Amino acid sequence: MAAQVPTEGLKDLKVSEPANQPNGSNGKPATNGDEEEHGDDSEDEAEDAAAAPAEGAAKKKKKRKPKKKKKNPSAQSDPPRVPVKQLFANKPFPAGQEVEYLNDNAYRTTNEEKRHLDNLNSEFLQDYREAAEVHRQVRSYAQKNLVKPGKTFIEIAEGIEDSVRALVGHQGLEEGDALKAGMGFPVGLSRNEIAAHYNPNSGNKMVLEQNDVLKVDIGVHVNGRIVDSAFTVAFEPKYDPLLQAVKEATEAGVREAGIDARVGEIGGIIQETMESFEVEIDGQTYPVKSIRNLTGHNILPYSIHGTKAVPIVKSNDQTKMEEGDVFAIETFGSTGNGYVRDDLECSHYAKVGDARHADLRLSSAKSLLNVINKNFGTLPFCRRFLDRLGQEKYLLGLNSLVNSGIVEAYPPLVDKKGSYTAQFEHTILIRPTVKEVISRGDDY
């Protein structure tokens, strides 16, 4: 989920009822596989009774059938509905791409003290690796079955969200369940000039078209550990250089990230990589520009946007990455102005972690805040998530929470009309011994 360079634009944001959509405009123990299935003992008793000899005959003791062992699934279903804990019962979740530190930090790979610190983080790693495995399986399904021309945005979003909830084993319908594991933020389905934060509200009729460029931004969390990773899909080869530029820029950012790396310097390398590309679309050549007011960000427990930003243009920011940090390295390229603004109907919201106390006069605002606290905390949510929980007529209360500074709204971020934008993103763990690209998969 994109971080935006701070502006004052959200203060006066109003939320309206659904409008017409644009037409072209992201460590609990596993159930052991050898647990016995008890079944229904009454069936065994009935068989014993049926086998009993007639009165006066010698009784023969019937041998009980051995109880069947419960088998764990060996493969994921289609659509994905098997929790990954069942697929990996008694086995650790796979690690991401582990990259050894170089130069002054090379000693960390074998240093006993750093290895000990890594071992202390076993629960932290298991949560992240479970979330990452869910992300890989869900996005693989989405790429093959959901992100296709002719699919509605609602179909794509709900297909991804339902799969994530099934694979973490938490449907999020009971109070507090979504805080245990589930969506780290609403799925971003931003097409063409919309760079980020677009998610269809209920009633949206928009359909993915052959000529679209779609950013798919998915967040999965387990115990508040959020894996944030995104990719871009285009169905026409003419967009390939744009996607390649952004993918290579993200890889450059991932490569340069690490302990003591300065974020401003990383931004310069990302920009240099990105802007070495150009793309020809329908006979016109466009330079690929880094979107200068979007950034990557560090991730904190239950907080998708932490306190550090990773710019995607060169800057004088001397902030260093540190041991223990978790970062989302995400880059955005555009054929337009390379600058986004707030536009269109809002769907993304999040409770502000350090919001000041405010006296809420509207009972609907108080009631809605209670729902948000118990079901999302500081995790971002969207209006369809509230619909799913049975909330009705909540827009007035939601407006009140936004205006009071308790909830922040994240409207879609849009470049120049008619332009095309692309995004790629990975989550990295700055571990004591190695840098782990936790969201790495065979696809990107």
Side-chain angles (χ1 to χ4, degrees):
M1 181 173 168
Q4 187 178 11
V5 175
T7 65
E8 298 299 317
L10 297 182
K11 291 183 179 178
D12 301 323
L13 182 71
K14 297 290 183 181
V15 181
S16 61
E17 293 290 350
N20 292 332
Q21 304 298 323
N23 291 319
S25 337
N26 11 157
K28 306 299 182 294
T31 303
N32 292 332
D34 57 356
E35 283 186 6
E36 292 186 351
E37 182 177 352
H38 294 293
D40 190 347
D41 290 340
S42 63
E43 291 181 9
D44 291 336
E45 291 170 2
E47 290 179 4
D48 289 347
E55 187 175 354
K59 291 184 179 180
K60 293 183 180 180
K61 191 174 182 181
K62 187 176 184 297
K63 195 173 183 180
R64 241 180 223 277
K65 294 179 181 178
K67 294 176 181 177
K68 296 178 182 177
K69 290 187 176 182
K70 191 176 183 179
K71 294 182 179 179
N72 282 303
S74 58
Q76 187 53 263
S77 61
D78 185 2
R81 292 296 181 266
V82 181
V84 294
K85 281 187 176 180
Q86 292 185 26
L87 295 176
F88 288 88
N90 300 321
K91 294 187 294 183
F93 294 107
Q97 178 193 16
E98 295 181 327
V99 182
E100 294 184 358
Y101 295 121
L102 301 175
N103 304 322
D104 292 344
N105 285 311
Y107 77 95
R108 292 173 170 273
T109 301
T110 56
N111 182 270
E112 286 301 320
E113 180 183 351
K114 299 302 179 184
R115 290 163 66 91
H116 177 65
L117 286 173
D118 237 358
N119 290 335
L120 292 177
N121 286 331
S122 59
E123 184 177 346
F124 165 90
L125 287 174
Q126 280 300 97
D127 287 345
Y128 264 113
R129 288 172 178 171
E130 179 181 355
E133 182 60 26
V134 170
H135 199 290
R136 281 187 288 270
Q137 292 192 21
V138 171
R139 78 188 190 225
S140 175
Y141 168 70
Q143 289 163 357
K144 294 174 184 176
N145 299 280
L146 294 176
V147 186
K148 303 288 184 184
K151 290 281 189 179
T152 68
F153 278 53
I154 289 281
E155 285 179 298
I156 298 170
E158 292 184 346
I160 291 172
E161 292 159 0
D162 290 347
S163 297
V164 167
R165 294 180 182 119
L167 268 57
V168 297
H170 292 273
Q171 288 298 315
L173 292 172
E174 296 179 5
E175 193 174 277
D177 192 46
L179 290 170
K180 297 175 183 176
M183 297 301 300
F185 54 80
V187 176
L189 296 176
S190 306
R191 72 173 180 179
N192 302 339
E193 69 264 30
I194 307 172
H197 297 175
Y198 189 89
N199 181 283
N201 289 321
S202 296
N204 187 304
K205 303 297 184 183
M206 205 156 64
V207 174
L208 186 62
E209 298 175 1
Q210 180 71 25
N211 205 44
D212 285 339
V213 176
L214 185 71
K215 282 71 64 184
V216 184
D217 196 350
I218 305 171
V220 180
H221 91 90
V222 174
N223 295 321
R225 311 292 188 183
I226 306 171
V227 170
D228 183 1
S229 187
F231 59 94
T232 300
V233 175
F235 311 104
E236 295 292 335
K238 61 186 176 183
Y239 302 118
D240 288 351
L242 172 62
L243 272 61
Q244 183 184 358
V246 182
K247 190 173 184 180
E248 290 193 16
T250 297
E251 291 299 333
V254 169
R255 183 180 65 247
E256 296 299 321
I259 294 173
D260 296 333
R262 297 182 187 276
V263 297
E265 294 175 3
I266 294 174
I269 294 170
I270 288 172
Q271 182 179 18
E272 182 180 1
T273 304
M274 179 93 69
E275 298 186 352
S276 67
F277 285 81
E278 59 184 22
V279 54
E280 182 180 335
I281 300 175
D282 299 333
Q284 186 168 348
T285 300
Y286 301 89
V288 180
K289 300 176 183 178
S290 285
I291 299 181
R292 59 188 181 275
N293 61 331
L294 291 180
T295 71
H297 49 91
N298 71 320
I299 302 173
L300 300 174
Y302 291 101
S303 179
I304 186 60
H305 292 157
T307 55
K308 298 178 182 179
V310 185
I312 60 175
V313 293
K314 186 177 181 179
S315 79
N316 294 321
D317 191 338
Q318 297 297 302
T319 302
K320 287 184 178 181
M321 293 182 170
E322 299 173 282
E323 178 183 307
D325 281 344
V326 178
F327 277 95
I329 304 296
E330 61 181 323
T331 73
F332 295 84
S334 174
T335 63
N337 295 326
Y339 187 90
V340 292
R341 67 191 186 284
D342 299 341
D343 198 4
L344 308 176
E345 185 177 70
C346 188
S347 61
H348 285 52
Y349 302 86
K351 183 188 172 189
V352 178
D354 57 354
R356 295 177 301 172
H357 174 75
D359 291 325
L360 298 173
R361 297 181 179 180
L362 291 176
S363 59
S364 60
K366 295 177 184 178
S367 174
L368 184 61
L369 180 58
N370 186 50
V371 171
I372 293 169
N373 285 333
K374 291 181 178 180
N375 291 280
F376 310 116
T378 52
L379 290 172
F381 61 93
C382 67
R383 285 159 58 173
R384 283 188 303 100
F385 290 4
L386 295 174
D387 298 337
R388 187 170 179 267
L389 291 173
Q391 297 299 300
E392 298 177 341
K393 300 179 180 178
Y394 53 76
L395 289 182
L396 186 62
L398 187 55
N399 270 326
S400 176
L401 294 175
V402 171
N403 293 333
S404 299
I406 296 173
V407 168
E408 185 166 0
Y410 294 89
L413 301 171
V414 185
D415 202 336
K416 182 175 70 174
K417 186 172 180 60
S419 64
Y420 295 93
T421 61
Q423 172 196 21
F424 279 92
E425 177 181 24
H426 273 303
T427 295
I428 61 173
L429 313 182
I430 311 296
R431 290 169 47 194
T433 57
V434 292
K435 172 177 63 181
E436 183 170 348
V437 188
I438 192 70
S439 55
R440 179 73 77 197
D442 294 336
D443 50 349
Y444 67 93

